[in-house]
Amino acid sequence: MSAAAADALMGIFGLKRQTVMVYDLKRGDRFTVDGSNDVWEFRSMDGAYCYSTNDLGHVLNWSGPVTRVDK
């Protein structure tokens, strides 16, 4: 799915995206990473990497830009 198509679909549900660095997120913020359709929930920073989970319980440790998903 293209970014434009994803934005259009998210707009239907009243969501918008904003690109930020992962360390700018607060606990509970939801985000995506370029190249992936998974939506992650930020939990905390552990050094340079974040600890985040998705709805399936998978864990993501990431350091870099993310696209925040806001309502």
Side-chain angles (χ1 to χ4, degrees):
M1 175 182 297
S2 71
D7 286 340
L9 181 59
M10 291 173 64
I12 292 170
F13 296 101
L15 302 172
K16 63 179 182 173
R17 300 190 311 170
Q18 175 186 16
T19 301
V20 297
M21 294 302 289
V22 72
Y23 52 76
D24 292 324
L25 299 175
K26 295 182 177 89
R27 185 175 180 87
D29 283 350
R30 296 172 59 81
F31 67 93
T32 60
V33 174
D34 281 350
S36 173
N37 291 328
D38 290 337
V39 176
W40 301 92
E41 183 176 324
F42 180 82
R43 300 294 176 102
S44 63
M45 290 298 295
D46 183 19
Y49 296 91
C50 74
Y51 176 82
S52 303
T53 58
N54 67 8
D55 292 338
L56 299 174
H58 297 154
V59 173
L60 173 71
N61 296 112
W62 182 260
S63 178
V66 299
T67 303
R68 185 179 356 220
V69 178
D70 290 328
K71 281 194 172 188

